[in-house]
Amino acid sequence: MKTKKRDLISYLPSDIIENILKRLILRDAVMTSILSREWRYKWATLPAIVLKSYCLKLSYNQLNSAVNQILVLHQGPVKELEVKYLDLDSCHYLHQWFDLLSKDHLQKLFLSWRFGLKLKEYCRLPSNFYSFSELRYLYLSRCVFRLPSSFKGLNRLVSLKLENVKIKSNKLSSLISKSPFLECVVIKGTCYTFKALRINASKLKKFFFRGFASSVYFLNAPLLEEVHIVLIGRSYSPLPDKVKQDNFMKSLAQLSSITKLALDGFLQPMALDGVWQNLTFEMNHLKILGLEISSYELAQISCVICLLRIAPNLETLEFIISAPDPQMMTSLYLEQQREDNSISLSVLKNVLICWQSPERVDLDLVELIFSFSPALEKIYFPIWCERSYVQEVLVAMPKASPTVEISFNDMDIESRAFDFRDFD
């Protein structure tokens, strides 16, 4: 009589089986239900549901139905829900999906809408979304936020990433301030132009903002380590009174502990306000600094000098210069600064200077950096700039570091200030 072979896989400990299923895409995990009666619903206990229409080879309508069916059949708590490339019809299902999820277990929610939606097409978040009290990681795109008056916050949220969303600045500030454990905030694109975005987040370590805003204020963010701000399409007017200028100065002081700072579109409004001239604090922990210079006018260049003056421990410096036409007053100012001993770049090792318009380049700022950087190892220039002219001038410049290397290659991306990979 033949003995039946034992099914070794089915008798593995449940945590090992779960580990195996977690490493499969959801389609393959569901297909294990045909192996045997014991395997029929093992996939249905997985704590993470990840669905991508292109991986499943589903149409957008089929994807909506698949999410519905999976959530209905699922047994036990869902801790993670990730659905990519939804279409506008998915908005009608959100309320149902959120009802099927336990408000006390969901820790990660990732919902993104497909490319190709019309500019005015956004998905309004249903009211039951705001009840997920255990959420720790949240990514949403093409959504409309309407915070209810009863909203008390997301008390366990650690990471907030929003892309192309409709939310007003005061509501976004409220969402952030009512999430007391937030460590990372990423805002990529908003429909509304913010007059000012105010950040109150005592645990915040990383902050990225790219959108329409006049300015960003840090009211309470003592643990900030990395800040990247890209202001686009703004209509700016100077801060009108001393009270607002003092408030902005207090905001800047919140950045005194950061190690990495990248500012794009930020120097122009600050130059108009003139607040850089009165900086009294130092950024002693700042190691990497990136600045976009939209104009070579004296006001913006003086902002750059003020920042260099309060950051004595810089190791990497990056400039993106979009309007490099030399200005006589700026050249005279930089010449005066070279005689000033208030700037110390004693540990600066790497500098990248990128001219976005290479027809005319000005090297006065480079000469100043050479003067105050005895440890400078390498200075990088884009390969499409006037190489022969730049090299000839730079070689002739006096340098505090006799061994500095001039390179026309790009800097390694992991060393750059404008490296946004951590915020994807």
Side-chain angles (χ1 to χ4, degrees):
M1 183 177 176
K2 292 184 179 180
T3 58
K4 189 177 180 180
K5 290 184 179 179
R6 189 182 180 190
D7 179 4
L8 296 178
I9 296 179
S10 295
Y11 290 93
L12 289 171
S14 59
D15 59 330
I16 294 179
I17 292 177
E18 182 180 308
N19 245 320
I20 293 172
L21 292 174
K22 282 166 61 176
R23 283 162 172 74
L24 301 175
I25 64 173
L26 190 60
R27 179 189 61 190
D28 294 341
V30 173
M31 287 178 66
T32 62
S33 62
I34 67 174
L35 293 176
S36 68
R37 185 176 299 172
E38 288 80 8
W39 278 84
R40 186 173 183 184
Y41 290 110
K42 287 189 181 295
W43 70 269
T45 61
L46 286 173
I49 296 175
V50 179
L51 287 164
K52 304 173 185 177
S53 58
Y54 69 90
C55 286
L56 298 174
K57 298 180 179 179
L58 299 175
S59 69
Y60 297 118
N61 287 333
Q62 289 173 326
L63 180 62
N64 295 331
S65 299
V67 176
N68 274 341
Q69 189 172 3
I70 288 169
L71 289 177
V72 168
L73 293 175
H74 196 275
Q75 301 172 5
V78 176
K79 295 183 179 179
E80 299 181 19
L81 176 63
E82 181 175 336
V83 189
K84 291 187 175 181
Y85 309 116
L86 295 162
D87 72 339
L88 199 62
D89 289 337
S90 306
C91 300
H92 306 300
Y93 295 92
L94 284 186
H95 196 285
Q96 181 182 347
W97 295 350
F98 292 164
D99 273 345
L100 291 169
L101 294 166
S102 170
K103 303 296 186 292
D104 298 327
H105 292 102
L106 189 66
Q107 297 179 8
K108 181 179 180 180
L109 180 62
F110 187 114
L111 298 178
S112 70
W113 270 253
R114 67 178 175 88
F115 299 108
L117 289 180
K118 295 179 181 178
L119 290 177
K120 295 183 179 180
E121 292 181 336
Y122 287 83
C123 183
R124 181 169 179 173
L125 291 171
S127 58
N128 56 351
F129 160 77
Y130 301 99
S131 302
F132 288 115
S133 58
E134 298 296 313
L135 265 183
R136 291 175 56 81
Y137 303 93
L138 177 62
Y139 173 93
L140 296 172
S141 70
R142 301 303 292 262
C143 289
V144 180
F145 283 79
R146 295 285 190 270
L147 297 185
S149 57
S150 59
F151 179 64
K152 296 181 179 178
L154 300 173
N155 292 325
R156 296 188 179 274
L157 195 65
V158 173
S159 175
L160 173 66
K161 297 185 178 182
L162 306 176
E163 189 163 0
N164 294 321
V165 296
K166 275 190 175 183
I167 185 170
K168 293 185 177 180
S169 59
N170 62 327
K171 298 299 183 182
L172 179 56
S173 296
S174 177
L175 177 61
I176 291 172
S177 64
K178 290 182 178 181
S179 304
F181 291 99
L182 262 181
E183 295 181 3
C184 178
V185 172
V186 178
I187 312 295
K188 293 183 177 181
T190 58
C191 275
Y192 301 116
T193 298
F194 296 162
K195 289 184 178 179
L197 177 61
R198 292 171 172 81
I199 304 301
N200 183 355
S202 61
K203 304 289 185 182
L204 191 62
K205 295 180 180 179
K206 292 185 177 183
F207 178 82
F208 177 96
F209 177 86
R210 181 178 66 223
F212 301 93
S214 293
S215 193
V216 178
Y217 294 83
F218 296 95
L219 305 181
N220 178 32
L223 301 183
L224 266 176
E225 295 174 359
E226 295 188 26
V227 175
H228 301 247
I229 299 176
V230 182
L231 301 183
I232 57 177
R234 65 194 176 279
S235 175
Y236 187 79
S237 58
L239 297 176
D241 54 52
K242 188 177 186 304
V243 173
K244 290 189 177 181
Q245 291 188 10
D246 288 344
N247 288 338
F248 182 75
M249 296 298 294
K250 293 176 182 177
S251 169
L252 288 180
Q254 291 286 337
L255 305 183
S256 60
S257 62
I258 67 171
T259 60
K260 187 174 183 178
L261 176 63
L263 301 175
D264 186 339
F266 209 87
L267 289 183
Q268 182 179 359
M270 298 309 100
L272 289 173
D273 292 325
V275 296
W276 295 98
Q277 311 300 326
N278 303 314
L279 299 181
T280 56
F281 59 90
E282 289 193 346
M283 297 181 178
N284 290 317
H285 301 284
L286 188 60
K287 303 293 183 183
I288 302 175
L289 174 63
L291 298 172
E292 180 267 345
I293 303 174
S294 62
S295 168
Y296 229 59
E297 294 178 355
L298 179 59
Q300 283 199 43
I301 297 301
S302 64
C303 290
V304 173
I305 297 304
C306 289
L307 273 174
L308 294 181
R309 189 175 290 123
I310 64 172
N313 296 313
L314 277 180
E315 295 179 1
T316 299
L317 182 59
E318 179 178 348
F319 291 122
I320 297 177
I321 304 175
S322 56
D325 289 343
Q327 303 280 333
M328 179 62 71
M329 291 297 294
T330 302
S331 298
L332 291 173
Y333 172 77
L334 289 173
E335 185 177 346
Q336 293 173 353
Q337 296 304 310
R338 287 197 296 273
E339 302 173 1
D340 188 351
N341 293 323
S342 63
I343 299 177
S344 174
L345 301 173
S346 59
V347 295
L348 185 64
K349 296 178 180 179
N350 296 292
V351 176
L352 170 67
I353 299 183
C354 176
W355 283 286
Q356 292 186 342
S357 177
E359 290 81 9
R360 297 181 68 186
V361 297
D362 185 85
L363 298 173
D364 289 337
L365 185 58
V366 179
E367 187 172 2
L368 181 139
I369 293 170
F370 276 157
S371 302
F372 296 108
S373 309
L376 190 61
E377 297 175 359
K378 206 165 187 178
I379 186 164
Y380 298 83
F381 294 91
I383 59 175
W384 40 259
C385 73
E386 301 171 322
R387 179 181 297 191
S388 57
Y389 164 74
V390 170
Q391 190 165 18
E392 180 182 350
V393 174
L394 293 182
V395 168
M397 278 183 183
K399 306 172 185 66
S401 171
T403 59
V404 61
E405 178 185 350
I406 300 170
S407 172
F408 289 92
N409 297 316
D410 207 349
M411 186 187 293
D412 294 335
I413 186 65
E414 62 268 14
S415 303
R416 294 188 58 172
F418 291 99
D419 172 18
F420 301 145
R421 292 174 302 165
D422 288 345
F423 298 97
D424 290 335

